[in-house]
Amino acid sequence: MPSPFASWPLSPDLLQDLSKVMTPTGVADYIALTLLSMVSATYLSRGILWDQPDPYNYLWYERPQLKMGGAAGANARQETRNIAQKLEEAEKNVVVFWGSQSGTAEGFAHRLAREIALRFRQGTMTADLSDYDPETIAQIPPSKLAIFILSTYGEGDPSDNTAEFWDWINKAQDVSLANVRYCAFGLGNSNYKFYNRVVDVVAQALDRRGAQSLLPVGRANDAEGATQEDFISWKDDLFTMCKDHLGFAEGEVQYLPTMAVEEDESLEPIDLHHGEPDVRETTKASAQCSPVRPVTIASARELFEASDRHCLHMDLDLSSVPEFTYKTGDHLAIWPSNPDAEVERLLQVLGLAARRDIPISIKSLDAATKVRVPTPTTAAALLRYYLEVCAPVNRDHVLGLAQFAPTPEAKTYLLQLGQDKATYANFINRTHVNLGRLLQLAAPDTPWSALPLSYLVETLAPIQPRYYSISSSSVLAPRKPSITAIVSTTPVPENPEELVHGVTSNYLLALSENRRDATHPHGLTYHLNGPSDALQGGQVFAHLRKSKFKLPRVGSCPLIMVAAGTGLAPFRAFISERRQLQQIGRDVGEMILFFGCRRPDEDYIYRDELAELQAALGDRLRIVTAFSRQAGTPRQYVQDRIAECGNDVIRLLDEGANLYICGRAGMARDVEKTVGQAMQQTKGWSASQWNDWSKAFKKRGKWQEDVWG
């Protein structure tokens, strides 16, 4: 349609008048025109010169379950988040909820659900707590049974995938759970102050809202190495309750697969997962973690002087991964592969060596059961990259394997080993037994051709990343984070010549040795180039995880840092960053570092660096050491040195210091006890006053811990 102004006549007089009006006549007019031109240019260049969209912004809004994309992602989008509706649709009577940080609670949940289904023929499903809206738990009818398996880590914290449920169960008002019948089991460690706090708080909250507990809360204690046996004992009580109270009829336990693993030679290599990490399961808190990417190892060096112990410092290069950014105190996760010897052992014993690279497709036979590993793939990739094949076999699995024994003698061997707790405990004290080794021991010269791959997929835990505290400052090395990893090699208690090798740390050691054309000191080999040579040139699959273990915003805030062993890693970064502040003329608060190790000439890591930092910082940094195995001197631990320096510790706390602890949980517990005793003695406080003060201090983020085990 033509413009209504198109027919207007533009006479010469009109044009002359317009020219007079639009011609600048003074300074103000020129300024106005200049500003108008700048505004116009700025607006027109939007999205070209400025305000460009972040190409990685979408990562922060993805649900981790949808990251895989394709069919899996589409299916996940269509699934209901109402657990009561899901139970009805899937025709399930029992749901096993899990909250897991390292994968143990998740493994227990799948194991329990499978056994309930086989033993009692009850429709049973597992449920990741982050996959369902917590308020829908109230809609579960009284004819169903809810089971909660929940881990506690850190300072009594819930796992990442439990966060939404945790907030709801503790804060929801006017919620009735009178319809809900439940049982609960917790995983914890008594070395931590808040042992099994999560399951206790959840059970109390359920009870307050009217839920009916059918069994006393079960608790596993990893400090005593009793997690597996604690779970088995509680599970036996649960099964007794199911028979006596719920009237479940117990039948003969026979293996009924929930997954089908089928060879499919029509698939092309491009269709397969060759070992890349399963991004669907990277994390249940996508806002806290980056995606998984290949990252280059820039350099690696040994930190220990001892020839029989190894500790690695590794610098990583993020140049090829622009979406990776970290802050001082964050964690870096390494995705390992299993050693060649264990992969080959299983392929041979299962009779799959000749068909290791044939494509296999893994499908769920139950709508409520998710496939926990990438598919399609191959048997070799499955055993090398996706399943924890080096983990010890628990008694339940020993008994479960007996039904697939290739000989009567093998079946008898497994039944005798698995049926008696004392016999099994004595056995694992004499030898390290993972799945492959156990199968070889039970039937030395006979392949286990009747043991289906589906059973391994269902019973073995998916391989998990291992997290390391970043030991570099993001201010000094924003694109080169470093990690500090002690290499785990533990002798079997009653057979010191037999060693148990930590999966990830020995994988890193092999990578480090390969950089200088050397071999692993114990002869372990790995496929270091990774799946489809994706890690060629010295790379690892890794991702970053945000941490709350942070320096105070104010550089003048005093610091008290307590570390043992590789717990020193984040404090290396803290002190380096404080030194940088000092160099640019900023005021730096007083710092005390308490550090403990065995001997000063063996495992005092970063000793020369710390000496240089101490010399540069002068009276701003004091380093107090404790050596537990130094010849000619009594054993000392960091808590002993804190007791000796109690006055200085309390003075700094009074001056507003932040206190940080990094290392084993048992050490952290002893440090807190020592600080508490010093505060009570100096200030004349009662135990109650100390507890009130420490709770408030931690709530303000002034007392932070990064601890494990």
Side-chain angles (χ1 to χ4, degrees), residues 22 63 68 149 169 173 241 255 263 266 270 315 318 350 365 377 424 451 522 582 604 617-618 639 644 670 697:
M22 298 179 66
R63 287 196 66 227
M68 187 173 177
I149 300 183
I169 199 68
Q173 302 293 325
M241 183 277 297
Y255 175 61
E263 291 187 351
S266 68
I270 196 172
D315 294 306
L318 304 183
L350 295 173
L365 300 176
T377 184
Y424 179 74
L451 177 56
H522 297 290
Q582 184 194 56
Y604 188 164
L617 286 160
Q639 58 267 28
E644 294 174 12
D670 291 337
F697 197 65

Side-chain angles (χ1 to χ4, degrees), residues 15-38:
L15 290 172
Q16 188 175 3
D17 291 341
L18 285 172
S19 176
K20 290 179 181 179
V21 172
M22 298 179 66
T23 300
T25 58
V27 175
D29 287 345
Y30 281 106
I31 292 174
L33 281 172
T34 301
L35 290 173
L36 181 61
S37 299
M38 292 173 62

Side-chain angles (χ1 to χ4, degrees), residues 81-229:
R81 288 185 56 82
N82 184 315
I83 185 58
Q85 181 181 336
K86 181 67 176 180
L87 287 169
E88 192 66 30
E89 291 175 353
E91 299 181 345
K92 304 297 183 184
N93 294 325
V94 182
V95 56
V96 185
F97 292 106
W98 57 267
S100 185
Q101 195 69 15
S102 64
T104 306
E106 179 185 2
F108 280 170
H110 291 294
R111 179 171 149 193
L112 180 61
R114 185 173 59 253
E115 194 163 346
I116 291 174
L118 295 178
R119 185 179 295 269
F120 299 110
R121 300 296 189 268
Q122 293 291 322
T124 308
M125 63 173 284
T126 59
D128 176 343
L129 280 164
S130 69
D131 283 343
Y132 297 94
D133 296 324
E135 60 270 18
T136 63
I137 291 174
Q139 301 171 26
I140 296 176
S143 59
K144 313 288 185 183
L145 174 64
I147 300 172
F148 295 87
I149 300 183
L150 306 171
S151 66
T152 298
Y153 81 104
E155 283 293 291
D157 299 318
S159 60
D160 290 341
N161 77 305
T162 311
E164 185 181 2
F165 169 75
W166 178 259
D167 287 342
W168 175 78
I169 199 68
N170 284 300
K171 298 176 182 177
Q173 302 293 325
D174 302 322
V175 173
S176 172
L177 299 176
N179 288 336
V180 178
R181 300 187 302 176
Y182 82 94
C183 302
F185 183 80
L187 284 77
N189 187 315
S190 59
N191 283 332
Y192 290 83
K193 181 177 180 180
F194 297 99
Y195 167 61
N196 264 312
R197 173 175 178 256
V198 171
V199 73
D200 289 338
V201 169
V202 167
Q204 292 165 9
L206 290 169
D207 292 343
R208 284 197 308 271
R209 289 167 172 77
Q212 181 185 359
S213 174
L214 302 183
L215 195 70
V217 172
R219 298 174 183 84
N221 188 0
D222 196 47
E224 299 175 355
T227 297
Q228 293 287 345
E229 289 298 335

Side-chain angles (χ1 to χ4, degrees), residues 47 60 104 120 145 164 287 291 302 319 323 325 352 354 358 374 387 418 436 452 460 472 518 524 586 646 687:
W60 299 105
T104 306
F120 299 110
L145 174 64
E164 185 181 2
E302 289 259 13
S319 299
E323 65 265 45
T325 57
L352 295 173
I358 301 298
L387 296 177
L460 294 179
S472 57
L524 297 181
R586 299 281 294 275

Side-chain angles (χ1 to χ4, degrees), residues 690-706:
W690 154 249
N691 286 333
D692 291 343
W693 179 88
S694 64
K695 286 179 182 178
F697 197 65
K698 291 177 180 178
K699 191 172 183 180
R700 289 161 50 204
K702 300 287 286 181
W703 182 307
Q704 298 183 32
E705 297 183 4
D706 187 355

Side-chain angles (χ1 to χ4, degrees), residues 59-78:
L59 293 170
W60 299 105
Y61 300 95
E62 282 188 342
R63 287 196 66 227
Q65 293 88 339
L66 306 184
K67 285 185 179 179
M68 187 173 177
N75 291 339
R77 290 185 186 93
Q78 296 169 4

